[in-house]
Amino acid sequence: MKNTFGNAVTLTLFGESHGSAIGAVIDGISPGIKIDEKSISEKLARRKPCGVGGTKRREDDIPEFLSGVFNGYTTGTPLTLMIKNNDTRSSDYEAMRSVARPSHADLTAFYKYGGFEDYRGGGHFSGRVTAALVAACAILSHALKTKGIMIGTHICSCHGATDRTFEDYEKDIRALAGKRFPVLGDGKDIEEQIRKAALAGDSVGGVLETAVINMPEGVGEPWFDTLEGMLAHAVFSVPAVKGIEFGAGFDIANMLGSEANDQIRMENGRPVTVTNNSGGINGGISNGMPIVFRTAIKPTASIYKKQDTVDFMKNENTSLLIQGRHDPAIIQRAGAVIDAVTALVIADLLTVRFGTDYLGEK
Amino acid sequence: MKNTFGNAVTLTLFGESHGSAIGAVIDGISPGIKIDEKSISEKLARRKPCGVGGTKRREDDIPEFLSGVFNGYTTGTPLTLMIKNNDTRSSDYEAMRSVARPSHADLTAFYKYGGFEDYRGGGHFSGRVTAALVAACAILSHALKTKGIMIGTHICSCHGATDRTFEDYEKDIRALAGKRFPVLGDGKDIEEQIRKAALAGDSVGGVLETAVINMPEGVGEPWFDTLEGMLAHAVFSVPAVKGIEFGAGFDIANMLGSEANDQIRMENGRPVTVTNNSGGINGGISNGMPIVFRTAIKPTASIYKKQDTVDFMKNENTSLLIQGRHDPAIIQRAGAVIDAVTALVIADLLTVRFGTDYLGEK
Amino acid sequence: MKNTFGNAVTLTLFGESHGSAIGAVIDGISPGIKIDEKSISEKLARRKPCGVGGTKRREDDIPEFLSGVFNGYTTGTPLTLMIKNNDTRSSDYEAMRSVARPSHADLTAFYKYGGFEDYRGGGHFSGRVTAALVAACAILSHALKTKGIMIGTHICSCHGATDRTFEDYEKDIRALAGKRFPVLGDGKDIEEQIRKAALAGDSVGGVLETAVINMPEGVGEPWFDTLEGMLAHAVFSVPAVKGIEFGAGFDIANMLGSEANDQIRMENGRPVTVTNNSGGINGGISNGMPIVFRTAIKPTASIYKKQDTVDFMKNENTSLLIQGRHDPAIIQRAGAVIDAVTALVIADLLTVRFGTDYLGEK
Amino acid sequence: MKNTFGNAVTLTLFGESHGSAIGAVIDGISPGIKIDEKSISEKLARRKPCGVGGTKRREDDIPEFLSGVFNGYTTGTPLTLMIKNNDTRSSDYEAMRSVARPSHADLTAFYKYGGFEDYRGGGHFSGRVTAALVAACAILSHALKTKGIMIGTHICSCHGATDRTFEDYEKDIRALAGKRFPVLGDGKDIEEQIRKAALAGDSVGGVLETAVINMPEGVGEPWFDTLEGMLAHAVFSVPAVKGIEFGAGFDIANMLGSEANDQIRMENGRPVTVTNNSGGINGGISNGMPIVFRTAIKPTASIYKKQDTVDFMKNENTSLLIQGRHDPAIIQRAGAVIDAVTALVIADLLTVRFGTDYLGEK
């Protein structure tokens, strides 16, 4: 469904970096979900450039509700929020309009839209658009939390530097909620890598690790709408994601079956797995253990180095030094976006499973 | 859409391991695609157990067309194929009905379907069902080939042993088409790992690498229905997949932006990238370079070793030694299934883009 | 979604009149719905030619379950049923292949499928395909009945002759269930019209009236997936339907608001409407009153009279006298098909609303 | 898909009568469709109260584009337009909050949303929301017109008074485009009926007739996504519609097959039908003749007469005299909305058939 995702709860994302606004529509949302403005602004804050590097563009990111909210609760009708674009200087872009920035979407946008695309600042492809995604999904996230379902993401590695993995899931997720730089340890090595890249006019990527706890079991489908498939589908919308792995992930390729299999035992009257190499999912369906996945985030494509490229309107070789300020890394911001799409998928699948009232107070 | 995938071309998969038949319905398929029975049986052959280990269950796998085919061509109406299940001995399964095989879907199926599921031989979760998927997608694959679009998958690693990567894409893909054990090199080390696991009553997994060449540029969406998102969604339906990465994948997390970016130059009048770390996709849209991705396949969950588990009806601990014959590895078979879902996604997105006649001879 | 209908419960219809089989796949169905073979065969019987006129083609119509049924209950995985086509003599059709039968789909099929369509006996457009639809929806209908929701359709007029309208809904619906000629009165005038048309080598149509009782209130959407919109969408799939109206329908155009409005009063502790001009639906959502709608069925297009037409391959005028046996009316059979799609829509919307377990015994 | 409609081109409608704005998102729209502001404002003008009766609420209805438009053309990314709600006095509604207006959606909204609905002025159910629908679809309508496809609707009857039917389709449709009171004849009898109802504090409905000309043949699906089914689905979203009929419609129930069948002849090298009882559609697929359908519009539910009803929070009988100004008829305004959803369906099905570039200048 193009720029819409979901079966029972659908989210449509709209807007261009230098258009008048970005926004999102959520349809199929339960009536009676409390709009918790604090949780929305916290999540938006986590998506913003933090101390470590970061763009100077001032994004106020105050979402305005156009529909679907009444007296502080969702109504159950389509919820639309809009974030106005204020700080945009479009004149910068005209000159370089047809010089493709390497590993950006300039060229593919031209292929697809034939020149009608809004090319200013990445247009519809801009990471800016994720502010609307984060704001909208914060509402779902809050509803999930009232059911005990919590989602958290930390940077687990960046250009060789690493963070510890989850230990006490609930405690770790609560700790991450308040952090602008989402790490479980002190994160100094990771910050150092970002600073070094910034100094070199270069950029770095990293790996994010996400956990979802207290997921009801029995959710997901055996084929196609598997829990992994739905999560992966949504996660690859987050700009810069190049890979996703669940549980033991790619490491499982080097294990024996006897090592990889998650043996099972009874604990507090319910079956639990001894290990969680499956990442909380078997046969596409949740087994009640934490859902754990990692995503690979590429280095920011905009760097302060001259790169070879083409002018796709003149069809000739050229080179490019991208102007303006840009982040030396976006991993510290991407976590909030991964959390957002994860909340969307979980909310969608729960609504499919338990009906349209499930997530609200109705 | 549950057990259905696709926007313009949809595939619905049905059947249980020990039911009367498995099958698939493709809707939205172009009229006038030639049914090339040889290519179907070749692809089915690649999905079957080959010399290296393998189940003894004899699968004739002769698909029968119930609808949508007339005079050797697709009609454009829903195409249904069915493969009968002949060699099934269901009595084996009754005794162990509620003992969850570790890392299988027995427990999650029970959570979801509440005991109404067909538990015999994995039921709807069985890898058996992929025979219908492979047969149906072989028709799409053939149609893509008439447009020059070719898909190939090889085992790139298995429990430490490795295969070389793609060099001459077209030549390599052609070579893989005829191989029962899909490797680009001689594959002896990989075979050795599988044999060792078999001897130990254990199992191994591996990593598969897939390439799609001659992909038209400008296909895919910026958000949600990105090319990566659609491929990942479908690929996670292939049983045992635990991860997917595009282009440089997880390695990109250790690169600098200046290393990761794909610089661009003109070649034969069109822009090409010098490297392909993006895996042929920018901003969710094809850029005309080969689409390259790798998938992590877990070791076969059924092994000849006693494992701890629970009886989920009695809610008590127990242990299990799985009876019967099972593959020590399925990576050599999984490639055909990855190729199949890849063809489905590509056919779907091309049909979205270019209309319902695009893939046929109409 | 082309030849698939539904959001949470989807039905895909496949098959051609002279192919090897017709069938249907239902996905998203609740686990634990009893397969009541008697109710399936009763509904299939109501779709067959009854005493009054009727084709001579012998349709055994014994559905075979390929998947999704185990131990007499739905499993919750895709349910596929197939009805084999036995009595087909295809040679009849070759000669007239490109002579368009007036008001049939021969010409439009050629426009759409470009000659690749299976033209024998109407191919995928054949009313024959509705046997699979009726059989599949009989399962949903049975599940609805266990919730108290009942559906019934009678012929309310035919070429001037009329039947009485519903009086005691439940009693009338129960009475209709057992009737091969679905009328509430004695139906003699209607039978007479059909016989007269048959004698004249001509055909007649009519109007069907359908009621759904005990519908839970609060189901349907305000825009697009309104209850009326969903029902109408599905009902227009029933071959020969040319119109649908809810409640007072087209007559409402001649009423004053003060006559058309359904005033409300409390009855047994719940609000009921004094009249039911709205047909049980306000703002696209069920109000708990009986859902009532009427559909216009055109006369059978195949008649024993010479008609002007064209040969669409030669692009020249010609005339045609359609051979073989055909029904002088299908209204008496169409009721079973209207009931079927109504059950599909209701089951779908209830599953959207209340989740995937709602209709089963899980 | 709830409050979203379409397969390839989807429209999501949002907003409440007394919220901050109403709006629509169109996704899947071709890049390069010219935004013709004049045609948008003309269509919005036709939806507004005209001289004959009409609400006093001043609706400026100036759509603001939030996304998907650049340099006066669609970009191909999601197009969002918003119309701000200015003239709203919400305090009027609080007192009567739980007194159900007969034949409005107050009670069903309460059933569905459990009290969280925005009840002011009909909330999301308000006819006000159709302004966004009309504005968004005007863009599609303009694109269709560049392909020669034209849509027009006139009042064909109102409380006994009638208008002539279409004669010269193209000329009649062009004439209707400029009329605030959409009739083909002088319309005096119809205006008289509306005035009489207004004087009596009552309201009237009517029947609208719509034609689509120059429709490409071969568009639509045999089952479910039939052209009739898709149009009916969308049309029943237009508030107050209670019926739809194609071609000869309900009258066909009184015809013989020999009268109802559309015989065919060659004309200017292509097959045309002599009559158009099929309304331009056979087997769910366009045959190239004008698509003709009629819709029944109920009288405005708000009247100046005391009506019996219930207080659904107190669960007791009461009566109600609706305050404020309201239209004695909306048929003259509904035509613009019918045109809008018709353009949506046609644009969607053409994009499915011919691909995503079809409607633009790319």
Side-chain angles (χ1 to χ4, degrees):
Chain A
M1 284 201 302
K2 296 164 296 278
N3 300 283
T4 295
F5 189 79
N7 289 308
V9 177
T10 56
L11 187 145
T12 302
L13 206 52
F14 63 82
E16 280 79 35
S17 178
H18 287 59
S20 64
I22 57 168
V25 186
I26 307 184
D27 195 7
I29 195 168
S30 298
I33 296 177
K34 200 173 167 45
I35 302 298
D36 185 71
E37 301 207 353
K38 186 160 153 284
S39 90
I40 298 173
S41 58
E42 274 173 11
K43 284 182 196 334
L44 282 171
R46 291 188 52 223
R47 194 202 137 270
K48 277 193 201 174
C50 60
V52 191
T55 65
K56 282 289 183 296
R57 173 169 171 177
R58 212 174 127 267
E59 296 182 343
D60 271 334
D61 286 358
I62 299 169
E64 191 179 328
F65 292 101
L66 301 183
S67 68
V69 172
F70 183 54
N71 290 339
Y73 284 86
T74 59
T75 56
T77 58
L79 183 158
T80 306
L81 62 78
M82 168 181 83
I83 301 174
K84 285 208 183 111
N85 289 326
N86 299 311
D87 177 23
T88 57
R89 275 159 304 172
S90 305
S91 54
D92 302 357
Y93 296 94
E94 197 66 37
M96 305 302 281
R97 189 255 174 279
S98 61
V99 177
R101 291 169 300 158
S103 288
H104 274 277
D106 303 338
L107 183 58
T108 53
F110 181 73
Y111 284 140
K112 183 173 174 71
Y113 302 112
F116 289 100
E117 67 275 11
D118 181 348
Y119 49 79
R120 299 167 303 165
H124 187 51
F125 295 83
S126 169
R128 165 83 184 139
V129 177
T130 61
L133 184 58
V134 167
C137 292
I139 298 164
L140 299 173
S141 199
H142 186 74
L144 293 172
K145 206 172 161 188
T146 64
K147 296 274 171 187
I149 303 166
M150 294 168 64
I151 302 166
T153 296
H154 72 108
I155 307 172
C156 78
S157 76
C158 168
H159 206 245
T162 57
D163 188 32
R164 74 160 170 85
T165 191
F166 286 104
E167 286 161 9
D168 177 330
Y169 282 104
E170 184 167 338
K171 198 175 143 195
D172 285 347
I173 290 173
R174 285 190 193 279
L176 287 168
K179 289 191 179 173
R180 289 290 294 275
F181 194 77
V183 285
L184 297 173
D186 69 9
K188 290 200 175 141
D189 293 355
I190 293 174
E191 290 193 28
E192 178 61 20
Q193 290 302 321
I194 298 175
R195 274 203 202 85
K196 268 173 62 184
L199 280 171
D202 215 322
S203 64
V204 283
V207 174
L208 295 169
E209 186 175 45
T210 301
V212 183
I213 59 168
N214 300 323
M215 177 72 190
E217 61 271 332
V219 175
E221 295 292 330
W223 297 98
F224 300 121
D225 284 357
T226 62
L227 202 36
E228 295 108 324
M230 290 292 282
L231 282 165
H233 192 156
V235 158
F236 276 110
S237 278
V238 181
V241 171
K242 296 309 285 182
I244 186 169
E245 57 177 15
F246 290 84
F250 277 86
D251 283 350
I252 215 162
N254 293 321
M255 292 179 176
L256 292 169
S258 54
E259 298 162 330
N261 282 357
D262 294 317
Q263 301 191 43
I264 315 176
R265 65 162 185 255
M266 296 303 297
E267 204 173 276
N268 303 322
R270 55 187 288 271
V272 297
T273 62
V274 180
T275 48
N276 190 14
N277 292 322
S278 301
I281 306 167
N282 296 115
I285 299 169
S286 57
N287 65 15
M289 301 300 293
I291 295 173
V292 180
F293 62 89
R294 280 168 301 283
T295 43
I297 308 291
K298 71 174 184 179
T300 322
S302 293
I303 54 174
Y304 296 101
K305 287 176 186 289
K306 195 166 158 186
Q307 299 179 83
D308 289 336
T309 187
V310 300
D311 182 310
F312 54 75
M313 282 179 160
K314 296 187 188 155
N315 268 335
E316 62 185 31
N317 287 322
T318 183
S319 68
L320 172 71
L321 181 58
I322 301 174
Q323 303 298 322
R325 299 271 324 182
H326 21 260
D327 291 335
I330 55 150
I331 33 166
Q332 68 277 38
R333 305 174 61 187
V337 192
I338 301 279
D339 283 355
V341 295
T342 302
L344 172 59
V345 171
I346 303 294
D348 177 39
L349 292 178
L350 288 170
T351 303
V352 167
R353 184 79 174 82
F354 299 114
T356 48
D357 290 345
Y358 183 70
L359 290 173
E361 296 177 23
K362 191 193 148 185
Chain B
M1 284 199 301
K2 296 164 297 276
N3 299 283
T4 294
F5 188 80
N7 289 308
V9 177
T10 56
L11 187 146
T12 303
L13 205 51
F14 63 81
E16 280 78 35
S17 179
H18 288 58
S20 64
I22 57 168
V25 186
I26 307 182
D27 196 7
I29 195 168
S30 299
I33 296 177
K34 200 170 167 47
I35 302 298
D36 185 72
E37 302 205 351
K38 188 161 153 281
S39 90
I40 299 172
S41 57
E42 274 174 11
K43 285 181 195 336
L44 282 171
R46 292 188 51 221
R47 196 202 136 270
K48 278 192 201 175
C50 61
V52 190
T55 65
K56 281 290 181 297
R57 173 170 168 177
R58 211 174 128 266
E59 295 182 344
D60 272 334
D61 285 359
I62 300 170
E64 193 179 327
F65 292 101
L66 299 183
S67 68
V69 172
F70 184 53
N71 290 338
Y73 283 86
T74 58
T75 57
T77 57
L79 183 158
T80 307
L81 62 78
M82 167 181 82
I83 301 176
K84 286 204 182 112
N85 289 327
N86 299 310
D87 177 23
T88 57
R89 277 159 304 170
S90 305
S91 55
D92 302 359
Y93 296 95
E94 197 65 37
M96 306 301 281
R97 190 259 175 278
S98 60
V99 177
R101 291 168 299 159
S103 289
H104 274 277
D106 303 337
L107 184 58
T108 53
F110 181 73
Y111 285 140
K112 184 175 173 68
Y113 302 113
F116 289 100
E117 67 276 11
D118 181 349
Y119 48 79
R120 299 166 303 166
H124 187 51
F125 295 83
S126 169
R128 166 81 184 141
V129 176
T130 62
L133 183 59
V134 167
C137 292
I139 298 164
L140 299 172
S141 199
H142 186 74
L144 293 172
K145 206 173 161 187
T146 64
K147 296 274 173 188
I149 303 165
M150 294 167 65
I151 301 165
T153 296
H154 72 109
I155 306 172
C156 79
S157 76
C158 167
H159 206 247
T162 58
D163 189 30
R164 72 160 171 85
T165 190
F166 286 103
E167 286 162 7
D168 178 329
Y169 282 104
E170 183 168 340
K171 198 175 144 194
D172 285 348
I173 290 172
R174 285 189 193 279
L176 288 168
K179 289 192 180 174
R180 290 290 294 276
F181 194 77
V183 285
L184 296 172
D186 69 10
K188 289 198 176 141
D189 293 356
I190 294 173
E191 291 192 28
E192 179 61 20
Q193 290 302 321
I194 298 174
R195 274 202 204 87
K196 269 173 61 185
L199 279 172
D202 215 319
S203 65
V204 282
V207 174
L208 294 170
E209 184 175 47
T210 302
V212 183
I213 59 169
N214 301 321
M215 178 71 189
E217 61 270 334
V219 175
E221 296 292 331
W223 297 98
F224 299 121
D225 284 358
T226 62
L227 203 36
E228 293 108 324
M230 291 291 283
L231 282 166
H233 191 157
V235 157
F236 276 110
S237 278
V238 181
V241 171
K242 295 309 286 181
I244 186 168
E245 58 177 15
F246 290 83
F250 277 86
D251 284 350
I252 216 161
N254 292 321
M255 292 179 177
L256 292 169
S258 55
E259 297 162 330
N261 282 357
D262 295 317
Q263 300 191 42
I264 315 176
R265 65 160 184 256
M266 296 301 298
E267 202 173 276
N268 302 320
R270 55 188 286 271
V272 297
T273 62
V274 179
T275 48
N276 190 13
N277 291 322
S278 301
I281 306 168
N282 296 115
I285 298 170
S286 57
N287 65 15
M289 301 300 294
I291 295 172
V292 180
F293 63 87
R294 277 169 303 284
T295 42
I297 308 291
K298 72 174 184 178
T300 323
S302 292
I303 54 174
Y304 296 100
K305 288 176 185 290
K306 197 167 155 183
Q307 298 178 84
D308 288 337
T309 187
V310 300
D311 182 310
F312 53 76
M313 282 178 160
K314 296 187 188 153
N315 268 335
E316 62 185 32
N317 288 321
T318 183
S319 68
L320 172 72
L321 181 58
I322 301 174
Q323 304 298 321
R325 299 269 325 181
H326 22 259
D327 291 335
I330 55 149
I331 32 164
Q332 69 276 37
R333 304 174 62 185
V337 192
I338 301 281
D339 284 355
V341 295
T342 303
L344 172 59
V345 172
I346 303 294
D348 178 39
L349 292 178
L350 288 169
T351 303
V352 167
R353 185 79 174 81
F354 299 115
T356 48
D357 290 345
Y358 183 70
L359 290 173
E361 296 178 20
K362 191 193 149 185
Chain C
M1 281 201 303
K2 296 164 295 279
N3 299 283
T4 295
F5 189 79
N7 289 309
V9 176
T10 56
L11 187 147
T12 303
L13 205 52
F14 63 81
E16 279 79 34
S17 179
H18 287 59
S20 62
I22 57 169
V25 186
I26 307 183
D27 196 7
I29 195 168
S30 298
I33 296 176
K34 200 170 167 49
I35 302 297
D36 185 71
E37 302 207 352
K38 188 161 152 283
S39 91
I40 298 172
S41 58
E42 273 174 12
K43 285 181 194 339
L44 283 171
R46 291 187 52 222
R47 195 202 136 269
K48 277 193 201 175
C50 61
V52 190
T55 65
K56 283 288 183 295
R57 173 169 169 176
R58 210 176 128 267
E59 297 181 343
D60 272 335
D61 286 358
I62 301 170
E64 192 179 327
F65 292 101
L66 300 183
S67 68
V69 172
F70 183 54
N71 290 339
Y73 283 87
T74 59
T75 57
T77 58
L79 183 159
T80 307
L81 63 78
M82 167 181 82
I83 301 175
K84 286 205 181 113
N85 288 328
N86 299 311
D87 178 23
T88 57
R89 277 159 303 170
S90 305
S91 53
D92 302 359
Y93 296 94
E94 197 65 37
M96 305 303 279
R97 189 257 174 280
S98 59
V99 177
R101 291 168 300 159
S103 289
H104 274 276
D106 303 337
L107 184 57
T108 53
F110 181 73
Y111 284 140
K112 184 173 173 70
Y113 302 113
F116 289 100
E117 68 275 11
D118 182 348
Y119 48 79
R120 299 166 303 166
H124 187 51
F125 296 83
S126 169
R128 165 82 184 140
V129 176
T130 61
L133 184 58
V134 168
C137 293
I139 298 164
L140 299 172
S141 200
H142 187 74
L144 293 172
K145 206 172 160 187
T146 64
K147 297 274 172 188
I149 303 165
M150 293 167 65
I151 301 165
T153 296
H154 72 109
I155 306 172
C156 76
S157 76
C158 167
H159 206 247
T162 56
D163 189 31
R164 72 160 170 87
T165 192
F166 287 103
E167 285 160 11
D168 178 329
Y169 282 105
E170 184 168 341
K171 198 175 144 196
D172 285 347
I173 290 173
R174 285 189 193 280
L176 287 168
K179 288 191 181 172
R180 289 291 294 276
F181 193 77
V183 285
L184 296 172
D186 69 9
K188 289 199 176 141
D189 293 355
I190 294 174
E191 291 192 28
E192 179 61 20
Q193 290 303 321
I194 298 175
R195 274 203 202 86
K196 268 174 61 185
L199 279 172
D202 215 320
S203 64
V204 284
V207 174
L208 294 169
E209 185 176 44
T210 302
V212 183
I213 58 168
N214 300 322
M215 178 70 191
E217 61 271 332
V219 176
E221 297 291 332
W223 297 98
F224 300 122
D225 284 358
T226 61
L227 202 37
E228 294 108 325
M230 291 291 282
L231 282 166
H233 191 156
V235 158
F236 276 110
S237 277
V238 181
V241 171
K242 297 310 285 181
I244 185 168
E245 57 177 15
F246 290 84
F250 277 86
D251 284 351
I252 215 161
N254 292 321
M255 292 178 176
L256 292 169
S258 55
E259 297 161 329
N261 283 356
D262 294 317
Q263 300 192 43
I264 315 176
R265 66 161 184 256
M266 295 303 297
E267 201 173 277
N268 302 320
R270 54 188 288 271
V272 297
T273 62
V274 179
T275 48
N276 190 14
N277 293 321
S278 301
I281 306 168
N282 296 116
I285 299 170
S286 57
N287 65 13
M289 301 300 293
I291 295 172
V292 180
F293 62 89
R294 279 168 302 284
T295 42
I297 308 290
K298 72 175 184 179
T300 322
S302 293
I303 53 174
Y304 297 102
K305 288 176 184 290
K306 197 166 156 184
Q307 298 178 86
D308 288 336
T309 188
V310 300
D311 181 310
F312 53 76
M313 282 180 160
K314 296 188 188 153
N315 269 335
E316 63 185 31
N317 288 321
T318 183
S319 68
L320 172 71
L321 182 57
I322 301 174
Q323 303 299 320
R325 300 270 324 182
H326 23 258
D327 290 335
I330 55 152
I331 32 165
Q332 69 276 39
R333 304 174 61 185
V337 191
I338 301 280
D339 284 355
V341 295
T342 301
L344 172 59
V345 171
I346 303 294
D348 178 40
L349 293 177
L350 288 169
T351 304
V352 166
R353 185 78 175 82
F354 299 114
T356 48
D357 289 345
Y358 183 71
L359 290 173
E361 296 177 21
K362 193 194 147 184
Chain D
M1 282 200 303
K2 295 163 298 277
N3 299 283
T4 294
F5 189 80
N7 289 308
V9 176
T10 56
L11 187 146
T12 303
L13 206 51
F14 63 81
E16 279 80 34
S17 179
H18 287 59
S20 64
I22 57 167
V25 186
I26 307 183
D27 195 7
I29 195 168
S30 298
I33 296 177
K34 199 171 168 49
I35 302 298
D36 185 71
E37 302 206 352
K38 188 161 152 282
S39 89
I40 298 172
S41 58
E42 274 173 11
K43 284 182 195 338
L44 282 170
R46 292 187 51 223
R47 195 201 137 270
K48 278 193 200 175
C50 61
V52 190
T55 66
K56 281 290 182 297
R57 173 168 170 176
R58 211 174 127 266
E59 296 181 344
D60 271 335
D61 286 359
I62 299 169
E64 192 180 328
F65 291 101
L66 300 182
S67 68
V69 172
F70 184 53
N71 290 339
Y73 284 86
T74 59
T75 57
T77 58
L79 183 158
T80 307
L81 62 79
M82 168 180 82
I83 300 175
K84 286 205 182 113
N85 288 328
N86 300 311
D87 177 23
T88 58
R89 276 159 306 171
S90 305
S91 53
D92 301 358
Y93 297 94
E94 198 65 38
M96 305 302 280
R97 189 258 175 279
S98 60
V99 177
R101 292 169 298 160
S103 289
H104 274 277
D106 303 338
L107 183 58
T108 54
F110 181 72
Y111 285 141
K112 184 174 173 70
Y113 302 114
F116 289 100
E117 67 276 10
D118 181 349
Y119 48 79
R120 300 167 301 167
H124 187 51
F125 295 83
S126 169
R128 164 83 184 139
V129 176
T130 61
L133 184 59
V134 167
C137 293
I139 298 165
L140 299 173
S141 200
H142 187 75
L144 292 173
K145 205 172 161 189
T146 64
K147 297 274 171 187
I149 303 165
M150 294 167 65
I151 301 166
T153 296
H154 72 109
I155 306 172
C156 76
S157 76
C158 167
H159 206 245
T162 57
D163 189 31
R164 73 160 169 86
T165 191
F166 286 103
E167 285 161 9
D168 178 329
Y169 282 103
E170 183 166 341
K171 199 176 142 194
D172 285 347
I173 290 173
R174 285 190 193 279
L176 287 169
K179 289 192 181 174
R180 289 291 292 278
F181 194 77
V183 284
L184 296 172
D186 69 10
K188 290 198 174 141
D189 292 355
I190 294 174
E191 291 192 27
E192 179 61 19
Q193 290 304 320
I194 298 175
R195 273 203 204 87
K196 269 173 60 185
L199 280 172
D202 215 320
S203 64
V204 282
V207 174
L208 294 169
E209 184 176 46
T210 302
V212 183
I213 58 168
N214 300 322
M215 178 70 189
E217 61 271 332
V219 175
E221 296 292 332
W223 297 98
F224 299 122
D225 283 357
T226 62
L227 202 36
E228 293 107 326
M230 291 291 283
L231 283 166
H233 191 156
V235 159
F236 276 110
S237 279
V238 181
V241 171
K242 296 309 284 181
I244 186 168
E245 59 177 14
F246 291 84
F250 277 87
D251 284 350
I252 215 161
N254 292 320
M255 292 179 178
L256 292 170
S258 54
E259 297 162 330
N261 283 356
D262 295 316
Q263 301 192 42
I264 315 175
R265 64 161 184 256
M266 296 302 298
E267 203 173 278
N268 303 321
R270 54 188 287 272
V272 297
T273 62
V274 179
T275 48
N276 189 15
N277 292 321
S278 301
I281 306 168
N282 296 116
I285 298 170
S286 57
N287 65 14
M289 300 302 293
I291 295 172
V292 180
F293 62 89
R294 278 168 303 283
T295 43
I297 309 290
K298 71 173 185 180
T300 321
S302 294
I303 54 175
Y304 297 100
K305 288 175 185 290
K306 195 166 158 186
Q307 299 178 86
D308 288 336
T309 187
V310 300
D311 183 310
F312 53 76
M313 282 179 160
K314 297 187 188 152
N315 269 334
E316 62 185 33
N317 288 322
T318 183
S319 68
L320 172 71
L321 180 59
I322 302 174
Q323 304 298 321
R325 300 270 323 181
H326 21 259
D327 291 334
I330 55 151
I331 33 165
Q332 68 277 37
R333 305 174 61 186
V337 192
I338 301 279
D339 284 354
V341 295
T342 302
L344 173 58
V345 171
I346 303 293
D348 178 38
L349 293 178
L350 288 169
T351 303
V352 167
R353 184 78 174 84
F354 299 115
T356 48
D357 290 346
Y358 183 71
L359 289 173
E361 297 178 20
K362 190 192 150 186

